[in-house]
Amino acid sequence: MDVSVPWFDLRERLGRTLFARVAGPEGPDNRARIHDTPGPRWFGPDSAIRAVHGDASMFVGGLRALLLQSLHPLAMAAVAAHSGFRGDPWGRLHRTSTFLAVTTYGTADDAQQAVDRVRAVHERVRGVTAAGAAYHASDPHLLGWVHVAEVDSFLIAHQRYGAHPLDPAGYDAYVADTARVAAALGVTDPPRDRAELAERLASYRPELYATREAREAARFLLRHPPLPRIARAPYAILAANAVSTLPRWACESLDLPYPPALERTVVRMAGHALVGTIRWALGSPTPTRDEEGRISRSA
């Protein structure tokens, strides 16, 4: 179908802005290298991990993962002391999104190199919490918490906001795919289906609580993100949907309001609209012009 030039230009500009925010200034070069370099991959084109990680629901899942991960006091201490998330939050997002892209879509060699770089960083991250507990980012148990909190968040967000939610077997396959990356990072016996994921999450529950750093991180992420004014309203919708997918105990621990059922329904409707807009913008194909100069694409 034909699309007017102004409408297509709006979509293209929005897509470029979103991509730049998530992937950073090196995003276009990284994308070309990740997708265009020939060679075997860890995951094929029809894999469940590609279906989940390629969907705009990741915007909700990523924020949920950060909030949930912060509830392990050792993980939060490591982030607060070493990640620079306050001073350089966009840089951290760029590095995380690039790692996810490389391990999901890149060649096997590039994926392994990305894992090796992260493991080298983790080896240097160690310290002691304010309560006197020692932490080390290479600890397989701590890595396991970060992994299951992330996978659970991406999975729940995709179930709720994904363009094409998977069936139960598909989500089991997603957990199994992510176990490939987790094992490479040093996680011991990562879960390989949803039942194992739920069991592993439950096993961490006695260790989880919100420290002062966790509550401060939540306030920073939800109420004071470094965004231009025009982006604050959409981000508020994104944040509300991330919070609405957290379990009640996590909201209470982080001093976040757990909305009633009707409010959650309204939030979810707004979330579907926002995620759909993000998907529309980032899914924009390369435009072509017909003989009359009009931009067009196939429906």
Side-chain angles (χ1 to χ4, degrees), residues 22 48-66 93 96-97 99-101 104-105 150-151 153-159 161-163 174 178 238 242 275 278-279 282:
V22 174
I49 194 171
R50 288 197 177 195
V52 174
H53 290 179
D55 190 84
S57 60
M58 290 284 285
F59 282 76
V60 176
L63 185 52
R64 181 191 191 271
L66 293 176
L93 175 61
T96 301
S97 65
F99 177 81
L100 285 169
T104 303
Y105 302 100
E150 179 179 273
V151 172
S153 295
F154 292 161
L155 191 157
I156 286 176
H158 193 268
Q159 285 178 317
Y161 304 101
Y174 171 65
T178 63
L238 178 71
V275 172
I278 294 171
R279 183 179 297 116
L282 292 178

Side-chain angles (χ1 to χ4, degrees), residues 238-289:
L238 178 71
N241 279 272
V243 170
S244 73
T245 63
L246 287 169
R248 181 188 291 270
W249 65 263
C251 290
E252 293 174 348
S253 186
L254 288 167
D255 293 335
L256 300 175
Y258 189 77
L262 179 59
E263 185 175 334
R264 290 200 304 273
T265 299
V266 174
V267 166
R268 185 168 180 172
M269 291 173 62
H272 274 288
L274 177 64
V275 172
T277 300
I278 294 171
R279 183 179 297 116
W280 170 77
L282 292 178
S284 177
T286 302
T288 58
R289 294 182 182 269

Side-chain angles (χ1 to χ4, degrees), residues 13 56 64 75 86 97 99 102 118 133 166 170 182 196 203-204 213 223 247 279 292:
R13 286 198 303 272
R64 181 191 191 271
R86 286 183 180 274
S97 65
F99 177 81
V102 171
V118 170
L166 306 179
E196 290 183 5
S203 73
Y204 280 98
E213 291 85 357
R223 301 174 186 171
R279 183 179 297 116
E292 298 179 9

Side-chain angles (χ1 to χ4, degrees), residues 7-95:
W7 188 248
F8 199 101
D9 286 347
L10 172 63
R11 180 182 185 184
E12 192 173 37
R13 286 198 303 272
L14 180 58
R16 283 200 305 265
T17 300
L18 285 169
F19 182 74
R21 279 290 182 183
V22 174
E26 297 180 357
D29 290 339
N30 286 335
R31 179 169 57 186
R33 175 176 56 82
I34 290 167
H35 293 281
D36 297 342
T37 302
R41 263 76 176 161
W42 281 358
F43 307 106
D46 296 326
S47 60
I49 194 171
R50 288 197 177 195
V52 174
H53 290 179
D55 190 84
S57 60
M58 290 284 285
F59 282 76
V60 176
L63 185 52
R64 181 191 191 271
L66 293 176
L67 294 169
L68 189 59
Q69 288 166 346
S70 75
L71 289 169
H72 197 295
L74 300 185
M76 188 62 236
V79 168
H82 299 275
S83 77
F85 77 95
R86 286 183 180 274
D88 185 26
W90 295 113
R92 186 177 184 226
L93 175 61
H94 301 160
R95 293 188 293 273

Side-chain angles (χ1 to χ4, degrees), residues 99 113-123 138 143 185:
F99 177 81
Q113 289 174 18
V115 165
D116 292 343
R117 286 192 293 270
V118 170
R119 295 194 69 155
V121 171
H122 284 170
E123 188 59 37
S138 289
L143 286 170
L185 284 168

